[in-house]
Amino acid sequence: MKRREFTLAAAAAALLAPAASVRADNYPSKPVRLIVPYPPGGGTDTVARAVFERVATLMGQPFVVDNKAGAGTTIGLGELARSRPDGYTVGVGGTSDPLLPLLYDRLAFNPSADLAFVATLATVPIVLAAGPSIPAKTLQELLAAGRAKGAQPLAYASPGTASPHHLAGIYLGEMAGLPLVHVPYKGTSQALTDLVGGHVPLAMLGLPSALPFARQGKLKILGVATAQRSALAPEIPTISESGVPGFNAGYWWHVTVPTGTPQAVIAQLRDAVDKTLRTPALTESLLKSGFEPMLLSPAEAEKALREDTAKWTKVIRANNLRGG
């Protein structure tokens, strides 16, 4: 398999492999390392810590977070892929994992072949936000102005090149016939600062980051990129219902382990994560932090991953994108 070719065969096999009917003996009998491929304090880290504090209680051993950030998650996920497949190294992945071979040359691992799915965790909606320089109050108004004869392309910020937010912006421009120019930032904070300050007119951001500023009147959220309205802010319409029918761009996190991890161990981990996500206290905590718990079966997750990967692979190849 070429490094930059993506195939879903291994991913599908990992997702759909039947869970072992017996429990692994004495697992876990010591602390488990939890690799988070992002810095401390971000969305992925917040979700991982909230969930696995409770998983640790259920399983009787601590899950020790190890933040291995950098290179578009390839540092942390690469270390996870090289770890011993015994259940004592677990990681947090995302829907962009299968796209990494398309974005990075000489990748030392293949996410589809080297990592196995365990369970879904949570999702965070992407939104189109407008700063004070945009007079439009709705997406319909923005589309009308942006498509008008002689209108100049609009710049939009994102937290980084080839991020889900960047891809969502490209996809929106294509589906809506709206000329957009990407302005990459190194993270959400500076993108938000420049959006609120009027230095960039639009941004594709995570809803939890943008919502407080919207409620303070410092920016406008013109639409949520997911297929349904978000439970975090049900008053905000989707992009699909606001003039771009069928638009859907979101991302979600899942638990992953090195390929070869015993199915009995995977089954135990999945059961503990799923039970944790059904806890009302955790659901409330995640929603307050801006994240929506996500419970999918392996088959449902495989289907969603396959559809997302096909969509974003087309976008990446058509625009010749490379990892930031």
Side-chain angles (χ1 to χ4, degrees):
M1 180 189 296
K2 294 181 180 178
R3 287 295 184 188
R4 295 186 61 193
E5 289 180 351
F6 174 73
T7 174
L8 284 166
L15 285 163
L16 294 174
S21 60
V22 296
R23 298 175 63 85
D25 291 341
N26 302 319
Y27 176 81
S29 59
K30 61 181 181 180
V32 179
R33 181 188 182 201
L34 176 64
I35 294 179
V36 176
Y38 290 94
T44 310
D45 184 68
T46 299
V47 170
R49 290 176 187 271
V51 172
F52 277 93
E53 282 178 4
R54 291 166 172 82
V55 169
T57 299
L58 280 177
M59 302 194 80
Q61 288 289 344
F63 281 70
V64 182
V65 176
D66 187 1
N67 295 97
K68 291 287 183 180
T73 74
T74 61
I75 291 177
L77 292 180
E79 187 160 333
L80 176 65
R82 294 187 296 272
S83 298
R84 185 177 177 180
D86 57 4
Y88 289 97
T89 305
V90 176
V92 178
T95 48
S96 59
D97 295 356
L99 304 173
L100 294 175
L102 297 172
L103 297 169
Y104 295 91
D105 291 323
R106 298 182 296 277
L107 197 63
F109 70 104
N110 187 305
S112 299
D114 299 334
L115 298 174
F117 171 85
V118 175
T120 46
L121 278 176
T123 182
V124 56
I126 295 173
V127 298
L128 174 64
S133 64
I134 294 290
K137 295 180 180 179
T138 66
L139 180 57
Q140 291 94 330
E141 292 179 5
L142 179 73
L143 292 176
R147 292 165 175 167
K149 185 176 181 181
Q152 296 298 308
L154 291 166
Y156 77 96
S158 87
T161 299
S163 65
H165 314 76
H166 178 195
L167 299 181
I170 294 174
Y171 191 51
L172 175 62
E174 293 174 350
M175 285 195 68
L178 183 67
L180 295 173
V181 176
H182 180 232
V183 182
Y185 284 80
K186 291 185 177 180
T188 296
S189 178
Q190 189 58 50
L192 258 173
T193 298
D194 279 7
L195 178 68
V196 171
H199 303 295
V200 62
L202 299 170
M204 299 297 289
L205 301 167
L207 177 57
S209 300
L211 192 57
F213 292 88
R215 288 177 171 165
Q216 294 167 21
K218 295 180 179 179
L219 57 79
K220 299 182 288 286
I221 297 177
L222 301 182
V224 179
T226 44
Q228 289 83 34
R229 294 193 184 199
S230 171
L232 306 176
E235 72 278 8
I236 301 175
T238 66
I239 290 174
S240 178
E241 67 184 286
S242 301
V244 192
F247 185 84
N248 184 12
Y251 65 100
W252 42 275
W253 297 295
H254 58 261
V255 183
T256 187
V257 292
T259 296
T261 299
Q263 284 298 315
V265 168
I266 291 175
Q268 282 184 255
L269 286 167
R270 180 182 300 136
D271 182 62
V273 171
D274 287 354
K275 283 182 178 177
T276 297
L277 291 176
R278 290 188 176 95
T279 305
L282 177 65
T283 297
E284 182 180 357
S285 175
L286 289 177
L287 287 172
K288 283 183 178 179
S289 299
F291 309 104
E292 298 182 26
M294 188 176 189
L295 274 164
L296 296 179
S297 70
E300 290 169 334
E302 188 275 331
K303 181 176 182 292
L305 183 65
R306 182 177 66 246
E307 292 172 350
D308 279 355
T309 300
K311 177 194 302 181
W312 301 126
T313 294
K314 290 179 182 178
V315 171
I316 289 170
R317 286 179 170 161
N319 293 274
N320 194 29
L321 297 182
R322 308 299 299 142

